[in-house]
Amino acid sequence: MKREADLVVKNCGQLLTLRSTDRTPRRGSALADLGLVENGAVAIRKGRIVGVGSASSVESSIQPVATCREIDAGRAVVMPGFVDCHTHTCFARYRLDEYEKRVRGVPYSEIARAGGGIAKSVADVKEMDEETLLEVSEKRLKGCLDHGSTTVEIKSGYGLDLDNELKQLRVIKRLAEVSPAQVVSTFLGAHAVPGEFRDRREAYISQLIHEMIPLVVDQGLAEFVDVFSEIGVFTTREAERILRAGISAGLKGRVHADELNDTGSAEMAVRVGAVSADHLTKINTRAITRMADSNVIGVLLPGTSFGLPSLDFAPARDMVERGVAIAIATDFNPGSSPSESMPMMISIACSHMGLSAAEAIAGATYNAAFALCRAEEVGSLEVGKHADFLILDCEDYREVPYRFGTRIVGRVFIGGNEWKGDSS
Ligand SMILES: [Zn+2]
């Protein structure tokens, strides 16, 4: 029986379906499989995909309804919307002065001592009322959509006290309600030890475990719990305690792991059964092997190294070859990576981490959906999934990394509806 369609996208020169053969994250040589169909088409009904593949196969399997709209992709690349699985989009202000200092070579530790870094963003969020924070965060989230992200994870972590963490999480919840994008919320109360707890860090950890996590769960404000495990922030043991508390309260785990130092936190992520371990700039070979043998997604954040600026990039090539399921995200934040552009992250991942265009694109869509436990819904163009797709301003997908910093995302569709920026 033919399926009814109310929207058909035709004339897709390269249709990147990212279709799955086994519904598991892509590893090793499979990562480069984009499920590419030349001269493809996509059929949609009520925001879901009902047909996808070659133009002839889609045409013969669907029945357009009377009001069916047709879009001619003009031989362009059509692909799934990006899944940005690691962002800090809910922040109050940019930190421009710090960038000026960093590019002149002032170390982050010195900037932090002078009250900059995460502490500055915490002070900014505390000072801003909830409505204004919503307004500025919504503007930024729109920027993510403009660059083709149709699913966006957003973390708290600039509150670092009960009231302000809940304030951030409420803003993230409201963003999920007002934005056409799918927003996934993460509680990151363990982003730093607040200054006032410097000499009694155990008191803050106890507050996180016994007060904040239960309230966040009670109020349904987050799906994930995250911890910044790093020298000078939370030790691996502390991070493990916080994660285990979150997981046993019903949240799913993710970790800022092995970013500036090899602390064993990627292996800890495997041990606690986290969904992802993120950053991994300093991950060692043993931890790479452990991750490869696990279900933990390795989320790579090329923009963070690029923006610091640093020549240290995560060993992506080695991770792929050893079988780690990697994903790519922006880490959009006002410190190290003030960019919401997934195409730019793909460019950096290719130029500085040695990934191929196909590998980076699969990491930014299909595998990233696994990093958010959304693989049943998004990340590929397959029958039954959300009709979240992009029509690119190019005819060859390899242009995505190649033409870095240019406008490569032409049209953005979420649930079959076109996103037209503020006029949507
Ligand atoms: Zn982060």
Side-chain angles (χ1 to χ4, degrees), residues 86 88 256 279 331:
H86 182 140
H88 304 256
H256 284 64
H279 283 290
D331 196 18

Side-chain angles (χ1 to χ4, degrees), residues 90-363:
C90 182
F91 62 88
R93 289 183 190 88
Y94 288 118
R95 305 196 316 248
L96 292 160
D97 295 346
E98 285 178 31
Y99 179 67
E100 296 273 279
K101 287 182 186 163
R102 290 204 311 268
V103 295
R104 284 204 315 271
V106 180
Y108 181 83
S109 51
E110 196 173 306
I111 291 169
R113 263 200 304 279
I118 291 172
K120 175 70 171 75
S121 288
V122 171
D124 289 345
V125 161
K126 284 186 175 177
E127 195 182 275
M128 192 173 272
D129 66 79
E130 192 164 329
E131 293 307 312
T132 315
L133 186 61
L134 175 66
E135 204 175 293
V136 297
S137 303
E138 193 185 352
K139 192 173 158 206
R140 295 200 188 97
L141 180 58
K142 286 176 176 174
C144 299
L145 272 71
D146 290 342
H147 286 88
S149 297
T150 50
T151 300
V152 181
E153 184 259 16
I154 307 178
K155 304 173 195 297
S156 66
Y158 293 132
L160 303 191
D161 64 32
L162 182 61
D163 288 350
N164 286 288
E165 283 294 314
L166 292 181
K167 177 171 90 182
Q168 269 200 297
L169 291 172
R170 282 193 301 269
V171 165
I172 296 167
K173 189 174 189 178
R174 288 168 72 187
L175 288 173
E177 289 160 6
V178 299
S179 174
Q182 290 207 49
V183 173
V184 178
S185 176
T186 297
F187 172 58
L188 179 56
H191 198 188
V193 178
E196 61 272 29
F197 285 91
R198 196 170 297 133
D199 300 321
R200 44 189 191 104
R201 49 193 299 118
E202 186 54 38
Y204 186 63
I205 294 167
S206 170
Q207 200 185 101
L208 279 167
I209 292 175
H210 300 293
E211 202 178 334
M212 294 199 207
I213 288 173
L215 262 173
V216 168
V217 172
D218 265 7
Q219 299 185 13
L221 287 173
E223 182 175 337
F224 288 90
V225 58
D226 194 346
V227 182
F228 188 9
S229 179
E230 182 55 67
I231 293 174
V233 191
F234 292 95
T235 67
T236 310
R237 287 183 74 148
E238 289 167 347
E240 181 165 350
R241 280 172 58 208
I242 297 162
L243 278 173
R244 285 194 189 279
I247 291 168
S248 62
L251 302 173
K252 288 172 271 194
R254 46 199 334 119
V255 195
H256 284 64
D258 296 342
E259 179 187 356
L260 306 170
N261 296 279
D262 173 12
T263 60
S265 41
E267 285 182 81
M268 182 271 286
V270 174
R271 200 158 61 231
V272 304
V275 174
S276 75
D278 304 29
H279 283 290
L280 308 173
T281 316
K282 299 290 187 184
I283 189 171
N284 66 43
T285 306
R286 192 183 69 177
I288 291 176
T289 311
R290 289 270 159 80
M291 282 193 68
D293 291 336
S294 78
N295 293 321
V296 182
I297 308 288
V299 178
L300 308 178
L301 306 164
T304 312
S305 302
F306 185 81
L308 273 172
S310 147
L311 295 176
D312 270 341
F313 287 89
R317 191 73 259 145
D318 196 27
M319 292 170 76
V320 171
E321 257 137 50
R322 288 176 193 271
V324 177
I326 63 110
I328 305 271
T330 61
D331 196 18
F332 182 30
N333 77 76
S336 51
S337 189
S339 170
E340 66 275 62
S341 168
M342 287 294 279
M344 186 64 198
M345 302 306 137
I346 289 169
S347 289
I348 305 169
C350 293
S351 296
H352 291 281
M353 293 170 146
L355 295 187
S356 68
E359 289 171 332
I361 289 172

